[in-house]
Amino acid sequence: KTRTKEWTIHDSRGNFNVAPVAIAERNGHVYWTEVQDDNIGDLDIATGQIHRYLAQTAGQSMHGIGVDSNGKVWTTGQIGTVARLNAEIKEFTEWRPSGGLGNYYTLTIDKKDRVWAVSTARQILSMWDPKTEKWTTLKPPNNIRRIVIDSKGMIWLCEYFANGVLMLDPETQKMTEYKLPLKYGNPYEVSADGSDNIWLENAAYQSFVKFDPRTKKFTYFPYPEINSHTPKVEFDAEGTTMWSDLPAGVGQPRLTGFKPRGNVPRS
């Protein structure tokens, strides 16, 4: 108990679950999106003080979140919205990058502060360019669930309904698709480790799947418990341990660490 802290998000309507979903940490603050309440939350870790900022559009089911190099907080709405919050002046800016047609689920921000937002419908991938301050929409071959950027700047997208993983070169906008060897896998989550191997969550086969971009080889690693699913995984700063909430869906979820290379010394 002394190693953990817990904060309660109080809502003015009483005992109401605002459903915080995605979080991002930067400059001593933790930001989150609220699926049920259209707020971006802001926790000052040092003081424990919480602020919540109400978005311009109601009922958007906020989901993805990211923070750019200037400290601006970006979120996705599943009704076709992408928003940016300047927490210092409490100002929201909101866009509908593809004319409101997208169902934006997650986003990521690259080293050039370009924002990449993916839709689970209509085969939409939208990119915000801070130089031009405009959105560009690309059309991947299939709908996308989640997105990650590796250390080389390559963008990886998991095709949840097409059993594949897609690599996008952001400079040339060339897309390369790799299909999983076992059909009907439909990866939910995508992540990159410290060696730029790509990891896919594959509940259909109760496994994490590693894809090596150099050899184009897929390797399946079974979950420690069956009937599990984890919608989100993260690698630590060293890129050696993958953390998840396995076995989500079976009793009480637990924080689970997986070391693909075992207990290896630091290089």
Side-chain angles (χ1 to χ4, degrees):
K1 292 182 179 180
T2 61
R3 297 193 305 176
T4 62
K5 290 184 179 181
E6 186 174 280
W7 291 269
T8 301
I9 304 170
H10 294 286
D11 190 272
S12 59
R13 290 165 292 181
N15 187 21
F16 177 77
N17 184 3
V18 300
V21 57
I23 65 171
E25 181 184 356
R26 190 173 181 87
N27 299 329
H29 288 251
V30 173
Y31 302 97
W32 66 87
T33 54
E34 298 179 3
V35 173
Q36 301 283 10
D37 204 25
D38 300 315
N39 278 289
I40 294 178
D42 174 6
L43 166 69
D44 186 320
I45 300 174
T47 66
Q49 190 173 27
I50 290 177
H51 294 281
R52 295 162 69 221
Y53 304 99
L54 184 64
Q56 294 173 325
T57 301
Q60 60 179 286
S61 296
M62 279 189 187
H63 200 280
I65 194 167
V67 184
D68 65 25
S69 66
N70 298 309
K72 305 293 193 308
V73 184
W74 293 79
T75 65
T76 55
Q78 296 182 71
I79 60 169
T81 54
V82 179
R84 181 183 64 196
L85 168 68
N86 185 333
E88 291 185 359
I89 61 176
K90 302 178 177 59
E91 179 183 77
F92 262 103
T93 307
E94 191 174 278
W95 297 268
R96 292 179 178 266
S98 52
L101 296 177
N103 181 13
Y104 290 108
Y105 192 69
T106 54
L107 62 77
T108 191
I109 302 171
D110 66 21
K111 294 180 180 179
K112 296 183 178 182
D113 271 344
R114 292 175 296 196
V115 179
W116 300 86
V118 297
S119 170
T120 57
R122 297 179 181 268
Q123 297 168 244
I124 290 172
L125 168 63
S126 293
M127 184 270 288
W128 164 262
D129 188 338
K131 291 183 178 180
T132 63
E133 296 191 347
K134 292 181 178 179
W135 287 95
T136 300
T137 296
L138 307 177
K139 189 177 180 66
N142 294 286
N143 291 322
I144 305 299
R145 176 69 68 174
R146 293 193 184 273
I147 180 173
V148 73
I149 301 176
D150 67 20
S151 68
K152 298 180 180 63
M154 295 296 105
I155 297 170
W156 295 87
L157 311 108
C158 60
E159 299 177 317
Y160 181 61
F161 298 108
N163 199 39
V165 61
L166 190 68
M167 185 188 76
L168 168 68
D169 184 327
E171 308 307 328
T172 65
Q173 297 188 359
K174 177 183 177 183
M175 298 184 189
T176 307
E177 186 180 45
Y178 303 96
K179 292 292 187 179
L180 275 67
L182 302 180
K183 61 184 180 180
Y184 309 133
N186 297 338
Y188 192 102
E189 161 73 324
V190 60
S191 189
D193 66 20
S195 300
D196 284 336
N197 294 303
I198 304 304
W199 290 83
L200 304 166
E201 194 273 355
N202 213 215
Y205 289 94
Q206 292 294 285
S207 301
F208 289 119
V209 182
K210 182 182 79 171
F211 175 67
D212 186 336
R214 296 159 289 274
T215 64
K216 310 298 187 293
K217 179 182 178 181
F218 289 91
T219 306
Y220 286 68
F221 295 81
Y223 291 155
E225 298 185 40
I226 63 171
N227 299 322
S228 296
H229 166 58
T230 176
K232 196 75 181 76
V233 302
E234 293 284 349
F235 275 89
D236 60 17
E238 296 176 354
T240 59
T241 304
M242 181 166 59
W243 295 97
S244 69
D245 62 344
L246 284 175
V250 183
Q252 182 65 37
R254 297 184 291 276
L255 182 63
T256 303
F258 171 52
K259 296 185 176 183
R261 294 188 294 144
N263 291 311
V264 298
R266 297 182 183 180
S267 57

